[in-house]
Amino acid sequence: MKLIVSLIVIGLFSSNLLAADPAAVKKAIAQGSGYLQGVFDKTSGGKRTVTALALYKAGASPDSGIVGGTVNEILERFKDGKYRPASEHIYEAGVEATLLADISTEKYKPQLKMIADYIVGQQKENGGWDYPTGRSDAKYNGDTSVIQYACLALWAAERAEIEIDDKVWEKVLAWHVRFKNKDSGFAYCPGTTTGHFKDASTLNMTAAAVANIHIAMLHIDPEFLPLKDRRPKKREEDTEPTGPKFGILQQVDLDNEETRSESVRISSASVETVKNAFGWLGTRFRVENKESPHATYYYYTLERMAALADVENVGSHAWFDECADYLIGKQLDDGSWNESSFFDEGLDTAFAILFLTRSTGKLLKRVSEPGFGDGLLAGGRGLPDDLSSVDFNGRTIQQKEKPTEPLDVLLASLSNTGNLDMLDVQEQIIEQVQIGNREDLIGQVDQLVKLVDHPDPQIRQTVVWALGRTGNMNLTQYLIDRLSDSDLGVMIEARNALCWISRRPTGFGFPEDPLDGLSPSASDDQKAAAIAQWHKNLVLTWGEWYLKNRPFEDRGDAFEARLRKKMENLKYGFE
């Protein structure tokens, strides 16, 4: 039977359907913080600063015993106008500068200046950084990981309005252009066989390199985001710069050749380098990083890179949602994480918290409000996951109050409302599910099931979304049925609801939207073919999953017989 699909789509927006549950993220952070507080006295060296930074980002007061005590330990490293890091040298400098700057750039400006002087003094002639001792310049060109923390320290100093010579940043960009691998990724110590992967490109180091390049570029031109290419064009009437983002730096108009010749340049080679490196990441992205013994280091690096680049996706992956969901599932009962063979649980937990708090994104004010795509509320496909604290009228976001209508009243009104009220009812249902009592939703299953076959696709879409949030495996048969809905938006919502219930953020690897990647000029036949193939893949894979995982009491029922027949027909081309 030919699949009939509604292509009168109310928009082609792709919303972030699989966002990690905000309540689950908050709980994981709280439990992880509790663990760190309990083991802090046993922590030594640079791990103490990383732990204190994680706790501060998680909401600890700067005057608390752990954070305040760690700051006092850091201050002891400044003597006679110089900064003397302990055994972790540049790594330690980067984290210590970050903690001091985050707490108060004004109060700790003298210390940040000394750290900056130390970092600049350690920069190699080729623009990189390395361990201060034990490595010869003749053999070692620099260490991508060390460079990452050197850049972090200088960024912290710039936030305190400490000017860094432009040539420092020019050399950073030149280093990355020169020492990238042929495949566009980055190795730990380029040109050597040092490290677990020798001279091969890795996820950790490539993400670090993309972050390094962005820090350098943003200091040169605060408006330039090469992965977005959204730097505003300068108007003739503009006589003043738009203002700095990172401190005292002023905007440089890179389209003006005269300006570029008199200041540090962001070369086309460095732009190409960062775009290609990000492309390398996009094709190799993994939620679970099995390639490195430094697994949780990867998540903190990934968060920092994505925040600096201002990207919500790496390749086709919603990096935060997928990784957050994975990390929440891997948290141990005592609140810790143990994901790395090289780190202990304390450092693993600190890095996980720095990721889950989106520490860099909040610092850059890029995740200050809950984020979601336009979704159904703006006439697109898919419902947003978190509307708990904002009001969205199609264009603007404002703070909102908790809805007052009970969930059962809202569901009852869903099928009776006119078109003018539909979006408001849907929005309130989502709010009730997000910030209300989840038991209320579970108690409304009978009402939801009655509406799952409603003739209005917008109502079916809302119902499917809600069924997924119940977490009830007994309801998955309704979701699998809706994979064959006549409306594409409902099909997409059913697929995402199954991902939610099964705790599989990416499902079985098939795209959220079958039309993604098609040319804008694709014909209706091409679109229908893409949807048909996508539908077949979904029914077969989710059907197999259901047959293996369905509740015992549902085995051998009429739905199972109907599903097996549908799968057989799809497999052999009879449908």
Side-chain angles (χ1 to χ4, degrees):
M1 181 180 71
K2 184 177 180 181
L3 179 65
I4 302 174
V5 180
S6 171
L7 291 176
I8 308 175
V9 182
I10 325 168
L12 292 178
F13 303 105
S14 179
S15 64
N16 194 5
L17 275 296
L18 301 180
D21 184 349
V25 172
K26 185 176 181 180
K27 180 180 178 182
I29 292 170
Q31 291 178 333
S33 298
Y35 173 83
L36 289 181
Q37 292 169 11
V39 301
F40 184 77
D41 288 341
K42 301 177 183 179
T43 304
S44 61
K47 296 177 183 178
R48 292 174 70 83
T49 309
V50 177
T51 300
L53 178 63
L55 289 172
Y56 177 70
K57 292 292 191 179
S61 167
D63 300 321
S64 66
I66 291 178
V67 179
T70 302
V71 169
N72 289 334
E73 293 172 8
I74 295 171
L75 295 179
E76 293 178 0
R77 309 199 200 288
F78 301 92
K79 295 180 180 179
D80 303 322
K82 292 185 179 181
Y83 169 70
R84 294 178 173 83
S87 59
E88 301 296 332
H89 45 85
I90 290 174
Y91 282 109
E92 203 156 37
V95 180
E96 290 179 351
T98 298
L99 179 60
L100 294 180
D102 285 0
I103 292 174
S104 175
T105 53
E106 182 178 356
K107 182 177 181 179
Y108 298 115
K109 183 173 181 176
Q111 288 79 18
L112 291 166
K113 174 66 167 64
M114 286 181 256
I115 291 178
D117 289 343
Y118 166 78
I119 294 294
V120 172
Q122 294 291 328
Q123 189 177 30
K124 297 167 70 75
E125 185 59 35
N126 64 16
W129 281 269
D130 208 331
Y131 289 81
T133 58
R135 289 183 174 179
S136 66
D137 286 344
K139 180 179 179 181
Y140 288 92
N141 300 306
D143 181 310
T144 310
S145 181
V146 173
I147 293 171
Q148 177 179 200
Y149 282 82
C151 289
L152 281 177
L154 295 180
W155 176 22
E158 293 257 20
R159 297 202 303 274
E161 298 188 353
I162 295 165
E163 188 171 3
I164 307 299
D165 192 322
D166 286 345
K167 293 189 180 301
V168 171
W169 300 117
E170 183 180 33
K171 290 166 70 175
V172 168
L173 293 179
W175 186 93
H176 288 84
V177 171
R178 179 179 176 185
F179 293 109
K180 64 182 181 295
N181 277 345
K182 290 182 179 180
D183 63 2
S184 297
F186 282 81
Y188 174 47
C189 292
T192 75
T193 57
T194 300
H196 293 278
F197 291 88
K198 300 183 178 180
D199 58 350
S201 301
T202 69
L203 291 169
N204 275 352
M205 293 302 99
T206 305
V210 173
N212 299 341
I213 294 171
H214 273 86
I215 290 176
M217 287 182 172
L218 285 167
H219 281 89
I220 295 169
D221 181 355
E223 299 298 329
F224 185 48
L225 290 167
L227 302 183
K228 283 180 170 286
D229 194 23
R230 69 179 191 190
R231 177 165 41 87
K233 296 294 183 180
K234 187 169 182 175
R235 299 174 300 173
E236 291 182 5
E237 60 268 31
D238 289 339
T239 57
E240 296 293 332
T242 60
K245 273 189 179 180
F246 277 35
I248 61 170
L249 295 169
Q250 300 300 312
Q251 179 178 341
V252 177
D253 181 5
L254 297 183
D255 294 325
N256 187 317
E257 288 298 329
E258 182 178 349
T259 301
R260 292 176 63 173
S261 65
E262 296 176 356
S263 63
V264 177
R265 297 179 58 174
I266 296 179
S267 67
S268 58
S270 62
V271 174
E272 180 182 9
T273 295
V274 74
K275 287 184 176 180
N276 289 342
F278 188 70
W280 185 96
L281 280 174
T283 59
R284 295 165 176 83
F285 177 87
R286 297 291 183 272
V287 172
E288 182 181 7
N289 182 4
K290 295 181 179 180
E291 72 173 17
S292 171
H294 310 89
T296 50
Y297 171 103
Y298 165 65
Y299 298 110
Y300 180 36
T301 302
L302 181 65
E303 186 277 331
R304 186 185 317 112
M305 177 210 75
L308 286 161
D310 198 12
V311 294
E312 287 299 323
N313 293 285
V314 177
S316 62
H317 297 271
W319 61 269
F320 179 78
D321 300 324
E322 295 179 28
C323 293
D325 194 68
Y326 169 80
L327 283 173
I328 291 169
K330 299 293 286 186
Q331 190 173 25
L332 302 177
D333 291 341
D334 62 0
S336 70
W337 279 270
N338 184 11
E339 293 295 294
S340 307
S341 60
F342 187 84
F343 300 143
D344 59 23
E345 289 86 348
L347 202 51
D348 266 354
T349 303
F351 280 138
I353 288 175
L354 287 167
F355 173 86
L356 290 173
T357 57
R358 300 195 70 167
S359 53
T360 314
K362 289 180 179 177
L363 181 64
L364 289 166
K365 301 188 185 305
R366 288 177 177 165
V367 290
S368 57
E369 296 287 352
F372 50 83
D374 291 306
L376 181 62
L377 297 178
R381 295 195 298 269
L383 294 173
D385 267 323
D386 186 7
L387 290 175
S388 59
S389 62
V390 298
D391 185 28
F392 183 54
N393 65 9
R395 284 190 175 274
T396 61
I397 296 175
Q398 297 176 334
Q399 292 300 118
K400 67 169 24 166
E401 298 179 357
K402 182 177 178 179
T404 56
E405 292 290 345
L407 184 60
D408 58 344
V409 174
L410 291 169
L411 288 174
S413 67
L414 188 61
S415 60
N416 299 320
T417 181
N419 289 334
L420 293 177
D421 298 326
M422 173 69 73
L423 299 184
D424 182 59
V425 172
Q426 290 170 326
E427 179 181 356
Q428 290 189 55
I429 289 172
I430 296 167
E431 289 175 1
Q432 285 286 4
V433 174
Q434 288 296 332
I435 65 180
N437 187 342
R438 295 257 174 159
E439 295 299 319
D440 291 344
L441 176 63
I442 295 172
Q444 298 302 318
V445 165
D446 289 344
Q447 178 73 357
L448 289 169
V449 170
K450 289 178 182 177
L451 292 169
V452 77
D453 293 320
H454 195 280
D456 189 327
Q458 293 189 50
I459 292 177
R460 297 199 303 275
Q461 196 174 0
T462 307
V463 169
V464 166
W465 182 92
L467 286 173
R469 273 37 180 203
T470 65
N472 187 343
M473 273 292 295
N474 295 94
L475 301 175
T476 50
Q477 59 180 275
Y478 298 103
L479 302 177
I480 289 175
D481 260 346
R482 290 302 109 196
L483 290 175
S484 300
D485 197 275
S486 60
D487 180 83
L488 181 56
V490 179
M491 296 167 69
I492 290 173
E493 201 63 66
R495 175 262 185 198
N496 288 314
L498 286 165
C499 290
W500 185 278
I501 277 186
S502 66
R503 307 298 290 172
R504 291 172 172 267
T506 59
F508 293 94
F510 302 112
E512 175 184 337
D513 186 340
L515 301 182
D516 280 350
L518 284 185
S519 168
S521 60
S523 67
D524 287 349
D525 286 343
Q526 289 173 318
K527 292 177 182 178
I531 294 168
Q533 183 61 51
W534 177 78
H535 165 257
K536 176 181 178 180
N537 291 335
L538 291 187
V539 173
L540 291 177
T541 53
W542 283 109
E544 288 291 343
W545 171 84
Y546 174 80
L547 293 173
K548 291 178 181 178
N549 296 281
R550 66 197 183 283
F552 182 80
E553 63 269 21
D554 291 341
R555 301 190 179 197
D557 62 3
F559 174 77
E560 178 181 334
R562 191 170 73 250
L563 175 60
R564 289 186 182 277
K565 182 64 175 178
K566 176 184 280 290
M567 292 172 64
E568 182 180 358
N569 288 340
L570 283 170
K571 190 177 295 185
Y572 296 106
F574 299 140
E575 184 172 347

